[in-house]
Amino acid sequence: MSTQPETTPTPEPGTSLAEQTHIAAGGDVDVIAIAPDPAEAEGILENAKLEDIFDADTYAKARNLIARYPQSRSALLPMLHLVQSVQGYVSQEGIAFCAQNLDLSDAEVSAVATFYTMYKRRPCGEHLVSVCTNTLCAAMGGDAIYKKLQTHLGSEEKPLGHNETAGTPNEPGSITLEHAECLAACDLAPVIQVNYEYFDNQTEDKAVALVDALQAGKKPAPTRGAPLTNFKGAELQLAGFFPEDAQQYRTDVDGPSQAVETLRGAQVAQDRGWTAPAMKDVPLPTVPSNTGEKK
């Protein structure tokens, strides 16, 4: 009598074996399948030489980034932002660019680029609109705002999906929509970010007016923070590059970051003379030494 467990067509949790150990890849990955047929995949790596699409200025910026760190590999995160400031996403060419300049393997760069959601694997729109759908924002209307924008930027029959773009990516007026985890603004919920700048206390109508303005080529002022730029411009700043002119620098990055709601608790404490109790010096516990003596 066989003791072999039953098999399933695809991998499933539990003790059953799978008839195959892979499933077809989605449309947002860079290979045709997780384990493609060898005949179909023949030459996929050897013959597909990647084109170097980055100019001399980008290489100069890459060298600038590398010089900021004791070890070149530490520059990988800002380097990926630099790639996005050029392409609007992280392509296979962008991964090869980072690997080449940082003396890393493509696999090491890919592991980082696919771990963080801030690195996009498909071309992004001129603007990235992030709707917070975490607990408090969702309860305050974030879910409804996200669904409204899905149909407004798409249609009732085909709502725009997560990380999908209305319009042609990188072209003026194009918008990539995503639902985001906590955007750290619970006191101003529900919130939206456009290219990582805050638009607080949103409603469905406000959100629709905001994306309409973006599609019309306007740049509405964020509730707080720096003036609005486009996605590529924000990525260049995240890579660590700003205007050398002091006045232009202030214009590009300065803006009020505080909000009345955020400071309300501190203001109440100040008005009522409340202060936190002073910290007391507490002796550290004794630690036995190797000889058994206490120090």
Side-chain angles (χ1 to χ4, degrees), residues 9-10 17 27 43-44 70 81 135 188 190 197 218 220 238 240 242 251 269:
T10 57
L17 300 178
I44 194 171
H81 284 299
T135 307
L188 299 161
E197 299 295 346
K218 300 176 182 178
L238 288 171
F242 301 92
T251 300

Side-chain angles (χ1 to χ4, degrees), residues 144-145 148-149 152 202-212:
I145 289 172
K148 180 69 176 179
L149 292 183
H152 183 73
Q202 289 295 296
T203 64
E204 292 180 48
D205 290 341
K206 285 182 180 179
V208 167
L210 174 59
V211 298
D212 284 349

Side-chain angles (χ1 to χ4, degrees), residues 85-102:
S85 76
V86 176
Q87 293 189 288
Y89 76 119
V90 178
S91 67
Q92 286 301 107
E93 290 86 355
I95 286 175
F97 172 80
C98 292
Q100 171 193 343
N101 283 276
L102 300 176

Side-chain angles (χ1 to χ4, degrees), residues 83-280:
V83 167
Q84 291 198 141
S85 76
V86 176
Q87 293 189 288
Y89 76 119
V90 178
S91 67
Q92 286 301 107
E93 290 86 355
I95 286 175
F97 172 80
C98 292
Q100 171 193 343
N101 283 276
L102 300 176
D103 195 24
L104 297 171
S105 68
D106 285 8
E108 288 174 304
V109 177
S110 295
V112 174
T114 56
F115 181 83
Y116 295 103
T117 58
M118 59 188 175
Y119 301 123
K120 307 305 180 186
R121 299 312 312 277
R122 288 184 287 183
C124 204
E126 179 188 21
H127 299 291
L128 173 66
V129 174
S130 312
V131 182
C132 183
T133 55
N134 214 329
T135 307
L136 185 56
C137 275
M140 297 291 287
D143 281 347
I145 289 172
Y146 180 67
K147 291 178 181 178
K148 180 69 176 179
L149 292 183
Q150 283 187 292
T151 56
H152 183 73
L153 294 171
S155 65
E156 292 287 347
E157 297 75 24
K158 191 177 180 181
L160 196 68
H162 172 64
N163 269 334
E164 291 185 353
T165 301
T168 303
N170 288 325
E171 292 296 318
S174 57
I175 292 176
T176 296
L177 179 67
E178 68 174 1
H179 61 81
E181 287 301 318
C182 184
L183 297 180
C186 300
D187 46 348
L188 299 161
V191 297
I192 291 175
Q193 283 184 341
V194 178
N195 309 323
Y196 306 117
E197 299 295 346
Y198 283 98
F199 291 81
D200 304 314
N201 295 312
Q202 289 295 296
T203 64
E204 292 180 48
D205 290 341
K206 285 182 180 179
V208 167
L210 174 59
V211 298
D212 284 349
L214 295 173
Q215 288 182 312
K218 300 176 182 178
K219 293 181 179 178
T223 309
R224 51 200 167 90
L228 194 63
T229 180
N230 55 29
F231 178 70
K232 288 183 177 180
E235 287 299 303
L236 187 61
Q237 293 180 0
L238 288 171
F241 294 98
F242 301 92
E244 293 184 4
D245 178 74
Q247 183 58 46
Q248 188 61 47
Y249 172 83
R250 292 296 178 190
T251 300
D252 284 2
V253 305
D254 269 4
S257 59
Q258 61 190 25
V260 174
E261 294 88 341
T262 306
L263 300 178
R264 184 166 291 145
Q267 186 63 54
V268 169
Q270 181 178 341
D271 293 344
R272 300 184 182 184
W274 295 347
T275 58
M279 292 185 64
K280 297 179 180 179

